[in-house]
Amino acid sequence: MDLDRSQATLQGKRLVLGVTGSIAAYKAVSLLRALTREGASVEVVMTQAATRFVTPLTFEVLSGKRVTTDLFEAHEEMRHLSIPERAHAIIVAPATANFLAKAAVGLADDLLSAMLLTAKCPLVIAPAMDGDMWMNPTVADHVRTLRARGAILLDPEEGPLASGQIAQGRLASESRIVEAVQTALIPQEDWKGQRVLVSAGPTQEAIDPVRFISNRSSGKMGYAIAEAARDRGADVVLVTGPTALAPPCGVKVVSVTTAKEMADALCRHFGSSTVVIMAAAVADFLPKEQAAQKLKKRGRTALSLELETAPDILAMLSAQRTSQVLVGFAAETEHLVSHAKDKLIGKGLDLIIANDVTREGAGFGSDDNAAVILSRTGQQKEFGLMPKRQLADEILTAVQNLRSAQHHSATAVE
Ligand code: CTP
């Protein structure tokens, strides 16, 4: 999104700037000025270690506000509760490896980390540390945990570090941090006017009144897409099979159980949609007959079920489409790209998101996913392991790109 920088974009926003004990703490002084230049009112909270690098007085003078450094200072004001309560966003820059660890596991032994346990506002974290520390697997785990919980965590930049090493560990540039805060606080509207139909979760096909055939889909990917589209201004209908997830607010949720019900619900909303994203793991085979009563095991040593193929919903929608963009998923255990390409063409899709569901840390039930996005125009882009919500935004961006390419070629022909 292009942000309009001609005006103070953070006017009226109350921010907390958390500063932790890294040599990059001096850069937080300039960051504070940049945030106030954008119109924000900024309250600085420092860890004890941060005060070894920069004095609280520097921040106090520049912010015009008292700087808090101690959980027990002015405890009667309950500042660990009152500061986050009135904040629109918390920014921690620089964030040390120690801070990331405390935030990831929920330790609350200083004011800044205690505040995070009560904060409900967006959290932007900009780490800075030595290159080896950033690459350490424990630090990587904490980064993943925080991102999965919704924190906007900016990768540090590569360059010369205090140790003399040239590696990834430098605090993200001031403009990247300010832009992350703007993105978190200024609603994106790039999907406004779009009507997005998303399917999610598994289907359940009854064998008898107590048993069913289903699959391991958790619904997390489809829900993340629905939420991302909502946050970018779209009107969203989410058709979901049975999941353990809370219905996202601001989204019309249609709950279904079987593939047939899912097909009916999707067909009902298809005509009024502009984009359809099929993240559901729909049954491919259904029991040919459903027993009216519970199948008893007495007198049986084995049981054979006769299954028939289920109608392919995406192929069905593709056959009735007018101008909708159609996006499918390919859940594969081998030959990821070639199988996905076959589905992209076979089902008449615009985009397909290919998932290797056997990959550790990705796929069913996981908070993260890795994928290859393929388009009917031949583009192919690979995304490493990332939170499903982040991948959801990448998928929406890929749809946007395809739409604008379509628009350009249409106007070129006119
Ligand atoms: N899909 C569908 N209707 C079905 C089965 C799948 O619309 N009955 C959709 C899924 O939602 C997904 C895409 O088709 O977007 C591909 O699903 P996938 O399970 O990967 O592949 P299948 O088409 O079922 O083929 P196979 O099981 O042989 O891999």
Side-chain angles (χ1 to χ4, degrees):
M1 183 182 57
D2 287 334
L3 293 161
D4 181 1
R5 295 177 182 287
S6 60
Q7 48 187 301
T9 55
L10 297 173
Q11 195 67 47
K13 300 294 182 203
R14 290 183 301 274
L15 307 178
V16 172
L17 174 60
V19 184
T20 72
S22 150
I23 181 65
Y26 76 92
K27 297 182 181 172
V29 176
S30 161
L31 176 63
L32 165 65
R33 301 222 72 173
L35 293 168
T36 50
R37 251 194 326 269
E38 291 294 330
S41 137
V42 186
E43 187 162 355
V44 177
V45 173
M46 300 177 78
T47 62
Q48 286 296 332
T51 65
R52 306 285 292 267
F53 291 94
V54 184
T55 68
L57 184 62
T58 308
F59 290 109
E60 233 159 55
V61 171
L62 293 174
S63 67
K65 291 192 172 48
R66 189 171 122 207
V67 172
T68 320
T69 57
D70 185 359
L71 190 53
F72 300 103
E73 173 193 326
H75 59 86
E76 67 286 354
E77 292 172 36
M78 308 281 269
R79 290 176 74 75
H80 65 297
L81 304 179
S82 61
I83 297 177
E85 201 172 63
R86 49 179 190 258
H88 290 111
I90 298 178
I91 303 119
V92 183
T96 57
N98 182 53
F99 170 81
L100 297 180
K102 290 204 294 185
V105 299
L107 284 186
D109 62 348
D110 61 22
L111 180 64
L112 184 59
S113 41
M115 273 173 28
L116 296 192
L117 297 185
T118 59
K120 299 200 171 50
C121 58
L123 173 62
V124 175
I125 303 177
M129 63 192 74
D130 191 60
D132 290 335
M133 289 172 91
W134 175 251
M135 297 310 290
N136 181 285
T138 312
V139 174
D141 275 351
H142 294 146
V143 166
R144 211 170 299 121
T145 303
L146 289 165
R147 282 184 172 148
R149 279 194 216 127
I152 301 166
L153 202 143
L154 303 173
D155 280 342
E157 290 170 10
E158 208 169 300
L161 303 176
S163 63
Q165 199 189 16
I166 296 184
Q168 189 181 8
R170 286 167 70 85
L171 184 70
S173 68
E174 193 174 290
S175 61
R176 273 180 67 211
I177 301 174
V178 172
E179 195 164 312
V181 177
Q182 289 166 327
T183 307
L185 293 181
I186 303 166
Q188 283 190 34
E189 300 277 289
D190 62 341
W191 275 63
K192 206 169 174 60
Q194 297 297 329
R195 292 179 302 280
V196 182
L197 181 58
V198 184
S199 72
T203 60
Q204 292 178 352
E205 312 300 333
I207 297 168
D208 70 14
V210 297
R211 302 179 179 97
F212 57 80
I213 296 178
S214 190
N215 58 65
R216 296 184 197 280
S217 168
S218 65
K220 286 180 183 171
M221 192 66 240
Y223 277 56
I225 294 169
E227 288 169 0
R230 171 202 65 194
D231 291 349
R232 287 167 75 160
D235 287 327
V236 183
V237 177
L238 173 65
V239 176
T240 174
T243 74
L245 304 173
C249 48
V251 164
K252 180 180 166 59
V253 178
V254 182
S255 297
V256 297
T257 304
T258 64
K260 164 93 181 54
E261 288 169 7
M262 184 167 277
D264 291 347
L266 288 167
C267 286
R268 260 199 321 278
H269 290 93
F270 186 65
S272 55
S273 304
T274 54
V275 177
V276 180
I277 305 180
M278 274 293 290
V282 189
D284 288 322
F285 304 102
L286 318 174
K288 199 160 185 188
E289 275 163 20
Q290 231 182 74
Q293 304 303 330
K294 186 182 176 200
L295 292 170
K296 304 304 279 180
K297 68 173 175 289
R298 197 163 357 113
R300 286 191 164 111
T301 54
L303 174 67
S304 296
L305 283 177
E306 198 176 346
L307 304 178
E308 62 183 4
T309 50
D312 191 303
I313 303 177
L314 254 183
M316 216 159 79
L317 297 177
S318 175
Q320 341 171 344
R321 85 150 113 189
T322 47
S323 57
Q324 293 86 349
V325 174
L326 268 188
V327 182
F329 274 72
E332 304 298 344
T333 55
E334 57 177 358
H335 309 304
L336 181 67
V337 170
S338 64
H339 282 172
K341 271 186 187 157
D342 290 346
K343 287 177 189 172
L344 175 75
I345 294 159
K347 295 179 194 241
L349 308 178
D350 296 296
L351 281 182
I352 195 152
I353 324 303
N355 283 147
D356 176 352
V357 287
T358 60
R359 178 169 170 168
E360 183 141 359
F364 294 133
S366 162
D367 288 328
D368 294 334
N369 206 353
V372 182
I373 302 185
L374 305 160
S375 79
R376 82 179 141 67
T377 49
Q379 271 97 345
Q380 181 171 325
K381 197 162 173 194
E382 191 166 345
F383 295 89
L385 208 58
M386 61 173 71
K388 285 184 171 169
R389 172 54 201 257
Q390 203 178 327
L391 181 60
D393 270 306
E394 297 290 358
I395 294 168
L396 296 184
T397 302
V399 174
Q400 284 283 69
N401 292 343
L402 190 81
R403 288 179 75 100
S404 41
Q406 255 167 4
H407 178 74
H408 283 127
S409 58
T411 43
V413 168
E414 275 167 15

